[in-house]
Amino acid sequence: MVGFRVPQVARRRAGCVQVRCGVLIDEYQRSKAYKNIFSAGVCVAIPPVEATPVPTGAPKTGYMIETMVSAIVHNIKDELAGQPVTTKATWNAICLADMGDTGAAFVALPQIPPRNVNWFKKGKWVHLAKIAFEKYFMRKMKNGTPEPIYEKYVLKALGIARLIR
């Protein structure tokens, strides 16, 4: 299996990336070396939580990546308006992992330790929840509402935030 590689344009910039790991970023999702380069998801160099026999990167979930991208959008908007960037991603993780007839669900707030919340459950209900979530997710994307107001308030009631401002 071929490992992930950072785009060549970023690799050519000294101090921008770790070899085969991703872009080194600050708390606002910007490159530490080049403030006009933003990075999210698998392009981010997140240090491993612990040493392992086989080098691995930290896992990244869809919700965690959404928090990164949301922060980037707010920060680019602030930069274009001549304002200082102030929005940080929470890096919270919510995951429904489908495994055929069963699955695993977890919530990690934030995903990278030390965590304030660490919850895990498995069972057939996760498989069914994943199917329902996929239908819900596709519907909200088709309608152009990536974060409906009711979703925002339900997550807030559960103590899950997307951004730090």
Side-chain angles (χ1 to χ4, degrees):
M1 186 164 102
V2 178
F4 173 77
R5 290 186 62 113
V6 175
Q8 190 175 23
V9 67
R11 288 195 315 262
R12 283 194 229 134
R13 305 291 180 253
C16 187
V17 301
Q18 285 181 332
V19 177
R20 298 186 63 113
C21 290
V23 178
L24 300 165
I25 60 168
D26 65 13
E27 64 271 21
Y28 303 108
Q29 302 298 129
R30 301 178 300 187
S31 163
K32 289 182 177 182
Y34 301 91
K35 298 301 182 192
N36 63 333
I37 295 176
F38 290 83
S39 185
V42 297
C43 292
V44 174
I46 300 174
V49 177
E50 60 187 42
T52 58
V54 176
T56 61
K60 295 154 187 95
T61 66
Y63 187 77
M64 179 185 181
I65 294 169
E66 283 184 38
T67 72
M68 292 177 180
V69 173
S70 295
I72 290 170
V73 169
H74 286 281
N75 290 331
I76 289 174
K77 180 182 171 196
D78 289 345
E79 280 193 351
L80 292 174
Q83 303 294 323
V85 297
T86 58
T87 307
K88 300 176 187 177
T90 59
W91 289 26
N92 290 333
I94 305 169
C95 183
L96 297 172
D98 190 354
M99 299 174 205
D101 289 340
T102 187
F106 74 85
V107 176
L109 310 177
Q111 182 164 335
I112 308 301
R115 295 184 178 115
N116 299 321
V117 174
N118 197 15
W119 177 87
F120 171 85
K121 295 290 179 192
K122 63 180 182 172
K124 184 163 180 69
W125 69 271
V126 180
H127 170 70
L128 300 172
K130 179 75 171 197
I131 293 169
F133 176 76
E134 287 171 354
K135 292 179 186 300
Y136 163 74
F137 183 83
M138 293 307 294
R139 183 174 178 274
K140 73 178 189 171
M141 291 300 116
K142 286 179 183 175
N143 290 335
T145 53
E147 188 179 29
I149 193 74
Y150 53 84
E151 179 181 309
K152 185 175 187 175
Y153 284 110
V154 167
L155 291 175
K156 186 176 180 180
L158 295 171
I160 302 170
R162 185 182 296 249
L163 299 172
I164 301 168
R165 293 182 161 200

